[in-house]
Amino acid sequence: MAVADLMVVIIRVILVWINAMYSPWPFLHITPVCSSIMFLSGAAFVVSVWLTVAFTFDRFVAICCEKLKTKYCTERTAAVVLGTVSVLGCLVNIPWYFSFEPEYIIDNVPWGCETILSFRSSPAWAAFDMFDLILTPFIPFCLILLFNILTVRRILMSSRVRSGLRGRSNGENNKDPEMENRKKSIILLFSISGSFILLWLTYVVFNIYVRIADIPFYYSYSDPVFLTDQTSKMLQLLSCCTNTCIYVLTQTKFREELKNAVKYPLNLIVKFVKSQKELKGVKH
């Protein structure tokens, strides 16, 4: 999840928005390159969102489905889910690559990415746009809410039963390690899925309003709708930044792996410098 969110930040924020405003890398404006970036941007968004759904479902199974837990909550299943979501996320977004055409051609080189005219009028493109919107984020939005409600319901029920049994057997309220672990799991679950719901809410409501009110595909910069659209996209991007921070704050193993990832290139550099010094010493 953290890697998928990082890819969204790199592709959407750096390669799309920053490059569009400041153009530090002009070659990214070549039409095939630009179209590829837009395709990768959409794929990264889909993968990020559906991995959030997969994580929510994984916590639901771990807490609510004891029989399925031993078969589903394994490293092999996690690898299969990650691979499947990543591949399908890329396949679903392939049509976006073909939704752009050059704005102008200089020396037989196509530049710029402009939405093709048929995208605004073709029923096929309209159907694909609606399918893409339903796939991300309407279905994930509903699934995350459903799994969270079922998970909370199960936790509350089991907590009452477990507290009652421990109270009868011990006669006092001692700390329960199992309930402490569940509490940590539910904090992580609600931190990730809750931030997703809150930060995507504006985008979801805005898209529903745009289609109900039949607002044109393009609108002027002075239009309040434009400001709302940009705000919803900003919050949408922000949702992809929060998961990594949440993992760093809550997961010890994730912090350790992150430290190892940062130390690895530094260790390679140190080894390389030492080897060069040893070679120089041998020559002398």
Side-chain angles (χ1 to χ4, degrees):
M1 282 177 62
V3 173
D5 292 335
L6 182 61
M7 292 302 296
V8 172
V9 173
I10 292 173
I11 297 172
R12 192 77 171 189
V13 176
I14 298 176
L15 298 184
V16 177
W17 290 106
I18 293 179
N19 190 60
M21 291 186 291
Y22 302 105
S23 299
W25 308 288
F27 70 93
L28 295 181
H29 292 284
I30 299 174
T31 303
V33 178
C34 176
S35 299
S36 299
I37 291 174
M38 298 307 294
F39 153 71
L40 292 173
S41 173
F45 255 124
V46 171
V47 172
S48 173
V49 170
W50 279 96
L51 285 181
T52 304
V53 176
F55 169 80
T56 308
F57 179 72
D58 179 83
R59 294 299 86 197
F60 165 73
V61 171
I63 294 173
C64 302
C65 307
E66 293 295 332
K67 294 182 179 179
L68 184 60
K69 177 181 176 180
T70 54
K71 296 181 180 179
Y72 181 81
C73 298
T74 62
E75 291 185 5
R76 182 180 179 182
T77 303
V80 171
V81 171
L82 288 171
T84 303
V85 171
S86 300
V87 171
L88 292 178
C90 292
L91 292 176
V92 167
N93 281 272
I94 288 177
W96 286 117
Y97 178 85
F98 302 99
S99 66
F100 299 99
E101 61 183 2
E103 293 183 23
Y104 46 85
I105 296 177
I106 301 176
D107 296 330
N108 294 324
V109 178
W111 291 87
C113 280
E114 186 177 25
T115 306
I116 58 177
L117 293 175
S118 61
F119 184 83
R120 307 169 200 173
S121 57
S122 170
W125 275 116
F128 172 73
D129 184 44
M130 182 59 66
F131 166 75
D132 183 69
L133 189 64
I134 293 173
L135 183 68
T136 308
F138 285 115
I139 294 178
F141 205 84
C142 296
L143 289 176
I144 289 173
L145 280 174
L146 175 63
F147 291 141
N148 280 344
I149 291 171
L150 294 176
T151 303
V152 171
R153 179 174 173 269
R154 178 58 182 267
I155 288 176
L156 291 176
M157 291 176 61
S158 61
S159 297
R160 290 172 184 172
V161 173
R162 193 174 181 87
S163 297
L165 292 174
R166 285 180 63 84
R168 289 177 184 176
S169 60
N170 298 335
E172 56 183 5
N173 292 325
N174 296 324
K175 287 188 177 180
D176 187 351
E178 179 65 22
M179 293 310 300
E180 291 295 324
N181 291 332
R182 289 187 181 184
K183 187 182 294 184
K184 291 180 180 179
S185 296
I186 204 66
I187 289 173
L188 179 61
L189 171 65
F190 275 96
S191 297
I192 292 177
S193 56
S195 65
F196 171 83
I197 291 172
L198 291 175
L199 293 172
W200 277 79
L201 185 61
T202 305
Y203 181 83
V204 172
V205 174
F206 174 76
N207 278 277
I208 293 174
Y209 168 74
V210 165
R211 280 154 178 78
I212 293 176
D214 195 22
I215 294 175
F217 189 75
Y218 288 105
Y219 26 81
S220 64
Y221 293 106
S222 59
D223 195 323
V225 178
F226 174 78
L227 178 61
T228 307
D229 180 35
Q230 296 302 304
T231 302
S232 68
K233 289 178 179 177
M234 179 191 69
L235 295 174
Q236 181 188 32
L237 291 169
L238 184 61
S239 70
C240 295
C241 303
T242 56
N243 285 352
T244 306
C245 297
I246 291 170
Y247 268 108
V248 170
L249 293 173
T250 59
Q251 297 294 296
T252 305
K253 290 184 179 180
F254 182 83
R255 289 197 297 270
E256 292 176 356
E257 293 297 328
L258 187 62
K259 289 178 182 178
N260 293 334
V262 173
K263 290 179 180 178
Y264 182 74
L266 296 176
N267 291 334
L268 289 179
I269 294 172
V270 171
K271 289 181 180 179
F272 176 76
V273 172
K274 286 183 178 180
S275 63
Q276 292 299 312
K277 288 182 178 179
E278 291 175 358
L279 287 175
K280 289 181 180 179
V282 171
K283 289 180 181 179
H284 289 299

